[in-house]
Amino acid sequence: MIDDLPPLRAVIATHGIAARKALGQNFLLDLNLTARIARAAGDLSACDVLEVGPGPGGLTRGLLAEGARHVLAIEKDARCLPALDEIAARYPGRLTVISGDALAVDPLAHLTPPIRVVSNLPYNVGTELLVRWLTPSDWPPFWTSLTLMFQREVAERIVAKPGSKAYGRLAILAQWRAEARIVLDLPPAAFTPPPKVSSSVVHLSALPAPRYPARAETLSRVVAAGFNQRRKMLRASLRGVAPAIEDHLIAAGIAPTDRAEQVSLEAFCALARLIDGDAGDGKADDGRRRITGPG
Ligand code: SAM
C-alpha cells in the first residue's frame, strides 16, 4: 500500500460513490497504478499539481504519496467530497479540494508555480481542457507539464506525425509548443467499470517558446481549414483563408496539390507567417528563439 488510508473499494462502499456514466466515471482503484501515473509526471516535490476529476481519490493519493508539494483537486461530483476530505486530513496542508466544474473554475488563484497538471479526466472534458491549455495567447503557459489520460485513439492523435491518419489539428497544437509522448497504455480492465476502449497516458512538457514562429491565431485558422476538408488539395481547402493562397503555399515549400496530412508543422508555420505578410524569417512574430525538433 502507498498509504495507510482504506483501500479504494472500501472508500467507494463507505461513501456510496457508485460510478455514474453521465459524469464519465471510470475509476482507477489500483494504487500502484495511480502511483505509476504520478511518477510519469516527473518530480513533483517542488511543484503544485492541478488534478481535475479526482473522484474517490486514487490518483490524488498517488500524487501525494509521490511527494507533490500541494495538490489542487477540482471535482464536480459532490458525493466524492467526504472521501477527498479524508485524504486531506491524512496529508495536512497539502490537498485543497474545489467542488465544481473544471470548465468553469479558474484554478490559478490557488496554485503557485511551477505547476504540473495530472488528471484522469472524462474523455469529452479532457479534449476540451487540453485544447484550452495548449492555446493561451501567451507562451509559456501556466503549466510546466500535462500528464493526462485519454482514450488511446485521442492519445495517438496528439503524438501523430505527418503522413499518418491520426495527424491533424490536435497534433499541430500539441507539438508546436510542447513535447508530447505516450508514457503508459492501459487496457479497459484497469478501470472500474471498464470503458469500451483502451486508454493511454500522454505527457506533454511545455517548450519555453514555440518550435517555429507563427501567430497562434493564423496557424489555428490554417490548420482548421486544411484538416476540416482533409481529403481536398490545400489549394482548394485553403482558398477562403487568404488571397493568393497558391503563391503562399509554393513560397512555404508546400505543393498546392498536397493534402493537409502531408504537411509538416514547420511548413504550416511558414505558411502562417507568409499569410501574415511575414517574409518567412519569423521576425514579424515575437522574435522568439527558434527551437528545432520533430515536426
Ligand atoms: N481520477 C479518478 C480516478 O482516476 O479514479 C476519477 C476518474 S473519472 C474518469 C473522471 C472524474 O472526473 C469523475 O470523478 C467525475 O465526477 C469528474 N468530472 C467529470 N466532469 C467533470 C468536470 N467538468 N469538472 C470536474 N470534474 C469532473
Side-chain angles (χ1 to χ4, degrees):
M1 276 298 272
I2 62 169
D3 57 35
D4 49 12
L5 288 160
L8 284 157
R9 278 186 203 285
V11 171
I12 286 173
T14 305
H15 298 291
I17 319 174
R20 286 191 181 150
K21 217 174 169 181
L23 285 165
Q25 292 181 333
N26 302 98
F27 299 134
L28 290 169
L29 303 186
D30 176 349
L31 289 164
N32 293 313
L33 185 56
T34 61
R36 244 175 100 189
I37 296 170
R39 282 197 294 278
D43 182 7
L44 301 175
S45 61
C47 293
D48 277 13
V49 176
L50 169 62
E51 186 194 0
V52 175
L59 182 54
T60 321
R61 286 164 64 174
L63 293 165
L64 290 162
E66 288 300 317
R69 180 176 69 189
H70 178 240
V71 177
L72 174 70
I74 306 175
E75 174 56 59
K76 194 173 176 177
D77 184 356
R79 294 180 308 157
C80 300
L81 301 179
L84 297 167
D85 285 345
E86 285 175 9
I87 304 171
R90 164 69 180 76
Y91 293 96
R94 290 176 57 201
L95 172 62
T96 304
V97 179
I98 296 182
S99 175
D101 182 344
L103 295 168
V105 170
D106 176 10
L108 291 184
H110 307 271
L111 291 164
T112 308
I115 299 162
R116 294 191 190 271
V117 180
V118 187
S119 298
N120 171 21
L121 286 159
Y123 293 131
N124 53 341
V125 181
T127 312
E128 179 163 353
L129 282 173
L130 174 67
V131 169
R132 261 194 214 183
W133 289 330
L134 288 171
T135 52
S137 44
D138 292 328
W139 202 265
F142 76 87
W143 48 272
T144 306
S145 66
L146 308 173
T147 307
L148 305 172
M149 183 85 70
F150 289 100
Q151 65 191 89
R152 185 158 311 158
E153 181 241 323
V154 175
E156 281 165 359
R157 279 164 46 203
I158 295 168
V159 302
K161 296 294 170 206
S164 68
K165 259 178 117 171
Y167 183 62
R169 179 168 167 262
L170 221 42
I172 304 262
L173 286 183
Q175 296 170 40
W176 180 41
R177 302 199 278 196
E179 185 82 55
R181 62 200 161 88
I182 292 178
V183 289
L184 195 61
D185 289 323
L186 293 175
F191 301 85
T192 305
K196 288 204 175 66
V197 293
S198 296
S199 303
S200 298
V201 177
V202 180
H203 182 79
L204 299 108
S205 312
L207 294 171
R211 231 178 261 282
Y212 309 104
R215 272 187 60 227
E217 196 271 321
T218 313
L219 181 63
S220 277
R221 207 153 43 87
V222 170
V223 168
F227 285 103
N228 276 347
Q229 297 176 291
R230 60 187 295 142
R231 304 183 75 88
K232 280 198 177 173
M233 294 178 190
L234 286 165
R235 69 174 173 216
S237 59
L238 299 187
R239 190 175 292 142
V241 170
I245 194 68
E246 266 200 67
D247 294 344
H248 291 325
L249 283 164
I250 291 163
I254 303 168
T257 50
D258 275 354
R259 272 94 180 159
E261 69 185 35
Q262 296 165 269
V263 177
S264 70
L265 170 59
E266 183 172 14
F268 269 124
C269 291
L271 180 61
R273 292 196 301 272
L274 286 154
I275 289 171
D276 282 333
D278 176 351
D281 60 3
K283 298 261 168 56
D285 180 53
D286 52 10
R288 287 187 203 188
R289 187 162 54 90
R290 170 185 161 142
I291 296 178
T292 51

Coordinates of all heavy atoms in Angstrom, one line a residue, residues 14 20 25 68 77 87 92 95 111-112 128 148 157 164 177 180 197 220 225 231 255 288 291-292:
T14 N -18.1 2.9 1.5 CA -18.4 3.7 2.6 C -19.1 5.0 2.2 O -20.1 5.4 2.9 CB -17.1 4.1 3.4 OG1 -16.4 2.9 3.7 CG2 -17.4 4.9 4.6
R20 N -21.0 6.8 -12.1 CA -22.1 7.3 -12.9 C -21.6 7.6 -14.3 O -20.6 8.4 -14.5 CB -22.6 8.6 -12.3 CG -23.5 8.3 -11.1 CD -24.3 9.6 -10.7 NE -25.0 9.3 -9.5 CZ -25.3 10.2 -8.6 NH1 -25.0 11.4 -8.7 NH2 -26.0 9.8 -7.5
Q25 N -17.5 8.5 -15.3 CA -16.7 7.9 -14.1 C -16.2 6.5 -14.4 O -17.0 5.6 -14.4 CB -17.6 8.0 -12.9 CG -17.8 9.5 -12.4 CD -18.6 9.6 -11.1 OE1 -19.4 8.8 -10.8 NE2 -18.3 10.7 -10.4
A68 N 4.1 15.2 -4.0 CA 3.6 16.5 -4.6 C 3.6 17.5 -3.4 O 3.1 17.3 -2.3 CB 2.2 16.4 -5.2
D77 N -18.5 16.0 -8.8 CA -19.5 15.1 -8.1 C -19.3 15.3 -6.6 O -18.3 14.8 -6.0 CB -19.2 13.7 -8.5 CG -20.2 12.7 -7.9 OD1 -21.0 13.1 -7.1 OD2 -20.1 11.5 -8.3
I87 N -8.5 12.2 2.7 CA -7.2 12.3 2.1 C -6.5 13.6 2.6 O -5.3 13.6 3.0 CB -7.2 12.2 0.6 CG1 -7.9 10.9 0.1 CG2 -5.7 12.2 0.1 CD1 -8.1 10.9 -1.4
P92 N -1.9 16.8 5.9 CA -2.3 18.2 6.3 C -1.7 19.3 5.5 O -0.4 19.3 5.2 CB -1.9 18.3 7.8 CG -1.7 16.8 8.2 CD -1.3 16.1 7.0
L95 N -3.5 19.2 0.4 CA -4.6 18.9 -0.6 C -5.7 20.0 -0.4 O -6.2 20.1 0.7 CB -5.1 17.5 -0.4 CG -6.4 17.2 -1.2 CD1 -6.1 17.3 -2.7 CD2 -6.9 15.8 -0.9
L111 N -2.9 28.2 -7.0 CA -1.7 27.4 -7.4 C -0.5 28.3 -7.4 O -0.6 29.5 -7.8 CB -1.9 26.8 -8.7 CG -2.9 25.7 -8.8 CD1 -3.3 25.4 -10.3 CD2 -2.4 24.4 -8.2
T112 N 0.6 27.8 -7.0 CA 1.9 28.5 -7.1 C 2.8 27.8 -8.0 O 3.0 26.6 -7.9 CB 2.6 28.5 -5.6 OG1 1.6 29.0 -4.7 CG2 3.8 29.4 -5.6
E128 N -11.4 19.0 -24.4 CA -11.7 20.5 -24.3 C -10.7 21.2 -23.4 O -10.1 22.2 -23.8 CB -13.1 20.7 -23.8 CG -13.4 22.2 -23.7 CD -14.9 22.5 -23.5 OE1 -15.7 21.6 -23.7 OE2 -15.2 23.7 -23.3
L148 N -1.9 13.4 -18.8 CA -3.3 13.2 -18.9 C -3.7 11.9 -19.5 O -3.1 11.4 -20.5 CB -3.9 14.3 -19.8 CG -3.6 15.8 -19.4 CD1 -4.1 16.7 -20.5 CD2 -4.2 16.1 -18.0
R157 N -3.7 10.7 -31.7 CA -3.8 12.0 -32.5 C -2.9 13.1 -31.9 O -2.4 13.9 -32.7 CB -5.3 12.4 -32.5 CG -6.1 11.7 -33.5 CD -7.6 11.8 -33.3 NE -8.0 13.1 -33.1 CZ -9.2 13.5 -32.5 NH1 -10.0 12.5 -32.0 NH2 -9.5 14.7 -32.3
S164 N 0.4 10.3 -41.4 CA -0.5 9.3 -40.7 C -1.9 9.8 -40.7 O -2.2 11.0 -40.7 CB 0.0 9.0 -39.3 OG -0.2 10.2 -38.5
R177 N 4.0 23.8 -29.5 CA 4.6 24.5 -28.3 C 4.9 23.5 -27.1 O 5.2 24.0 -26.0 CB 3.6 25.6 -27.8 CG 3.3 26.6 -28.9 CD 2.8 27.9 -28.4 NE 1.3 27.8 -28.2 CZ 0.6 28.9 -28.0 NH1 1.1 30.1 -28.1 NH2 -0.7 28.8 -27.8
A180 N 5.4 16.1 -26.8 CA 4.3 15.2 -26.4 C 4.7 13.7 -26.6 O 5.2 13.4 -27.7 CB 3.0 15.5 -27.2
V197 N -13.1 1.2 -24.6 CA -11.9 1.4 -25.3 C -10.7 1.4 -24.4 O -10.8 1.6 -23.2 CB -11.9 2.7 -26.2 CG1 -13.0 2.7 -27.2 CG2 -12.1 3.9 -25.2
S220 N -3.8 28.4 -36.3 CA -5.1 27.7 -35.9 C -6.0 27.7 -37.1 O -6.7 26.7 -37.5 CB -5.8 28.3 -34.8 OG -5.3 27.9 -33.6
A225 N -8.8 24.9 -41.3 CA -9.3 24.9 -42.7 C -8.7 23.7 -43.5 O -9.4 23.0 -44.2 CB -9.0 26.2 -43.4
R231 N -9.4 15.6 -47.2 CA -9.2 14.9 -48.4 C -9.0 15.8 -49.6 O -8.6 15.3 -50.7 CB -10.4 13.9 -48.7 CG -10.7 13.0 -47.5 CD -11.8 12.1 -47.9 NE -11.4 11.0 -48.8 CZ -10.8 9.9 -48.4 NH1 -10.7 9.6 -47.1 NH2 -10.4 9.0 -49.3
A255 N 3.5 21.9 -51.9 CA 2.8 21.8 -53.2 C 1.3 22.1 -53.1 O 0.7 21.5 -52.2 CB 3.0 20.3 -53.8
R288 N 10.9 35.4 -31.0 CA 11.4 34.4 -30.0 C 12.3 33.5 -30.7 O 12.2 33.2 -31.8 CB 10.2 33.7 -29.4 CG 9.5 34.6 -28.4 CD 8.5 33.7 -27.7 NE 7.4 34.6 -27.2 CZ 6.5 34.2 -26.4 NH1 6.5 32.9 -26.0 NH2 5.6 35.0 -25.9
I291 N 13.2 26.8 -31.7 CA 13.7 25.6 -31.2 C 13.5 24.5 -32.2 O 12.4 24.3 -32.7 CB 12.9 25.2 -29.9 CG1 13.2 26.3 -28.9 CG2 13.3 23.9 -29.4 CD1 12.4 26.1 -27.6
T292 N 14.6 23.8 -32.6 CA 14.4 22.8 -33.6 C 14.0 21.5 -33.0 O 14.2 21.3 -31.8 CB 15.7 22.6 -34.4 OG1 16.8 22.4 -33.4 CG2 16.0 23.8 -35.2

